[in-house]
Amino acid sequence: MISLQQYLEKGQTVLSNLLLESYHHIGMTDQEFLLWLQLFKAAEKGDRFPDLEVIGEITGYSQKEIYRLLNQLVQKNLLSIQSEKDDKGLLNDAYDFSAVFEKLSLLTEQQKRHSNQQEKEKEEQNLYQMFETEFGRALSPIEFQRIGQWLEEDHYRPELIRLALKEAVLNQAYSLNYIDRILLSWERKNIKTKEQVAQEQKKRKRQMLQKETTRTEKKLPKVSLHNWLEDQE
C-alpha cells in the first residue's frame, strides 16, 4: 500500500475543473486529452519538451500512436511547439499549451452569451404573457409587433415595459397607446430602472398632494376671528 508520504512526493498537477468538464467541447478526444495532460504535467515539473518514450510508458501508447495524437493536437490548434532560449542563450523546443486556455475562454464566453440569450427570450415571452393576462385576452398580431418594437427598436428594457403596463392597469387604461405615452414620458426624463420609476411615482404623488391641499385651502371660507373678551366688557 502506498504511503501518504510517497503519494505527496510525486507532486501535484493543478488543473481547473473547467478543462476536465469542457475538453470534449473544444474538440479534444479522450486519447488526445490524456497525451496533452501528460505533456502538461511534465511542463509543470520543468520539462517543457519531455521524452515521448517516457510518455508512451506512462500512457501505454505506442510511439506511432503518440505521434499521431500529437499531430492531431497541433492540427486542431490545441498544442504548438515553440523555440525558447535557455539561460545560456541556446534555443530549445517547448510545448505551448496556451491555445487550449484561449479556446476555453472563448467557449466560456459563447456559453455565457447563449445563456444570456435564453434568459432574454424567456423574459420577453413572460412579458407577452403578462400583457395577455392583464388584458384578459390574446394579443393581436399588431399588438405583438408593437411590443416587439419597444424591445428591439426603442430598446426599452422588459422590466420598464412591465412597470408601464402596471401603471396603465392601475389607471384602468388597457391600451398600448397609453403605455407608449408612459414609456415616452419616462424616456424624456431619462428614467430607465425600477428604482427611478419608484422615485418618479413618489414625486408625482407629492405634487398631487400639494395641488389637492392648495385647492382645499382655496375652497375653505374665510372666517373672521371674534374677540369674545370684548363682548364681556
Side-chain angles (χ1 to χ4, degrees):
M1 181 178 178
I2 187 173
S3 67
L4 178 60
Q5 183 178 355
Q6 289 173 314
Y7 177 80
L8 295 175
E9 284 176 352
K10 282 293 183 180
Q12 306 287 328
T13 299
V14 180
L15 201 65
S16 170
N17 287 334
L18 179 62
L19 179 56
L20 293 174
E21 296 168 357
S22 306
Y23 69 91
H24 269 301
H25 296 293
I26 62 175
M28 206 182 302
T29 67
D30 293 342
Q31 287 183 313
E32 290 168 352
F33 179 62
L34 180 57
L35 175 60
W36 186 95
L37 185 58
Q38 291 297 329
L39 297 173
F40 182 78
K41 180 201 72 173
E44 288 283 281
K45 295 174 69 175
D47 188 357
R48 301 291 304 276
F49 203 71
D51 188 342
L52 294 182
E53 288 187 9
V54 176
I55 300 296
E57 291 174 2
I58 296 172
T59 60
Y61 297 158
S62 67
Q63 290 298 296
K64 181 179 179 181
E65 184 71 5
I66 287 179
Y67 281 114
R68 183 183 68 82
L69 294 172
L70 191 59
N71 185 54
Q72 289 176 183
L73 287 170
V74 172
Q75 286 183 342
K76 292 180 180 180
N77 194 27
L78 296 166
L79 188 71
S80 63
I81 301 174
Q82 306 291 337
S83 294
E84 298 178 346
K85 285 186 178 181
D86 60 17
D87 297 336
K88 298 179 181 180
L90 299 176
L91 287 175
N92 296 298
D93 289 334
Y95 291 109
D96 184 356
F97 305 92
S98 60
V100 162
F101 303 110
E102 291 172 2
K103 285 182 179 291
L104 280 177
S105 177
L106 181 61
L107 175 67
T108 302
E109 187 63 30
Q110 289 174 341
Q111 290 174 337
K112 183 180 179 181
R113 285 199 298 268
H114 180 67
S115 177
N116 290 341
Q117 181 62 28
Q118 286 184 320
E119 289 179 7
K120 178 185 176 184
E121 291 174 358
K122 183 177 180 180
E123 190 175 22
E124 291 178 359
Q125 183 180 2
N126 291 338
L127 178 64
Y128 288 112
Q129 291 175 348
M130 183 177 179
F131 268 89
E132 292 185 332
T133 299
E134 295 295 349
F135 283 16
R137 59 175 175 78
L139 294 173
S140 69
I142 294 178
E143 289 172 327
F144 266 104
Q145 183 180 6
R146 186 75 172 278
I147 297 171
Q149 288 174 340
W150 289 340
L151 293 166
E152 302 300 329
E153 296 180 13
D154 298 321
H155 303 291
Y156 293 133
R157 295 171 58 185
E159 179 186 54
L160 203 66
I161 299 174
R162 284 197 298 270
L163 293 171
L165 170 62
K166 287 181 179 179
E167 182 153 331
V169 170
L170 288 174
N171 289 282
Q172 297 184 342
Y174 299 91
S175 164
L176 294 191
N177 288 334
Y178 188 90
I179 296 171
D180 192 52
R181 287 196 294 271
I182 294 174
L183 292 170
L184 285 172
S185 173
W186 288 346
E187 184 178 8
R188 294 191 192 100
K189 297 175 182 177
N190 200 31
I191 295 174
K192 298 179 180 180
T193 66
K194 180 180 180 180
E195 291 74 21
Q196 290 174 323
V197 169
Q199 290 176 359
E200 175 66 15
Q201 290 173 337
K202 288 180 181 179
K203 179 180 176 182
R204 285 177 55 197
K205 285 181 180 179
R206 286 196 300 267
Q207 292 173 343
M208 291 176 63
L209 183 60
Q210 288 173 354
K211 289 180 180 179
E212 186 65 29
T213 302
T214 302
R215 282 198 298 267
T216 302
E217 290 175 350
K218 288 181 178 179
K219 289 179 181 178
L220 290 175
K222 292 184 178 180
V223 179
S224 59
L225 297 177
H226 185 77
N227 191 339
W228 294 96
L229 292 177
E230 292 180 356
D231 288 348
Q232 290 178 0
E233 293 175 358

